[in-house]
Amino acid sequence: VVRRNRSKIAFPGNERHAAAATRQVFRLATLSSRVRRIYLYHWQPPTSALPTWDSALLDRRGEPRAAYRVLKAHIRRQTGLG
């Protein structure tokens, strides 16, 4: 997650943190039976030079980022394909 919008909340802007945040989304979802869906936006990174947010699952070449691998592992566990 990369934020360039003058927010006073600081997040590490790297793939490792994005993967950890994605993993946490899945953990939090298991805490409530009311959660039926999780929407992950930004499959590809923004095209602007200095985006205000980047949580893409793929890099600019279309290669999977760490968060994509978290998603893939979660899907495999949930579907029994792992």
Side-chain angles (χ1 to χ4, degrees):
V1 176
V2 175
R3 294 178 68 176
R4 292 185 184 96
N5 59 3
R6 297 183 187 146
S7 173
K8 295 187 188 303
I9 300 171
F11 293 106
N14 59 47
E15 285 193 37
R16 183 176 173 208
H17 180 261
T22 302
R23 199 172 294 113
Q24 182 67 3
V25 166
F26 293 124
R27 281 190 199 123
L28 290 173
T30 63
L31 297 178
S32 174
S33 61
R34 293 173 42 190
V35 176
R36 302 269 186 227
R37 294 184 182 106
I38 297 172
Y39 293 94
L40 297 174
Y41 298 96
H42 300 141
W43 280 85
Q44 297 180 343
T47 56
S48 62
L50 291 173
T52 58
W53 188 269
D54 180 1
S55 58
L57 297 171
L58 304 176
D59 67 15
R60 294 195 188 283
R61 296 165 305 189
E63 297 294 320
R65 290 181 173 179
Y68 176 89
R69 291 184 281 280
V70 170
L71 171 62
K72 185 177 178 179
H74 179 78
I75 291 170
R76 284 187 169 172
R77 279 191 305 276
Q78 294 298 310
T79 61
L81 298 176

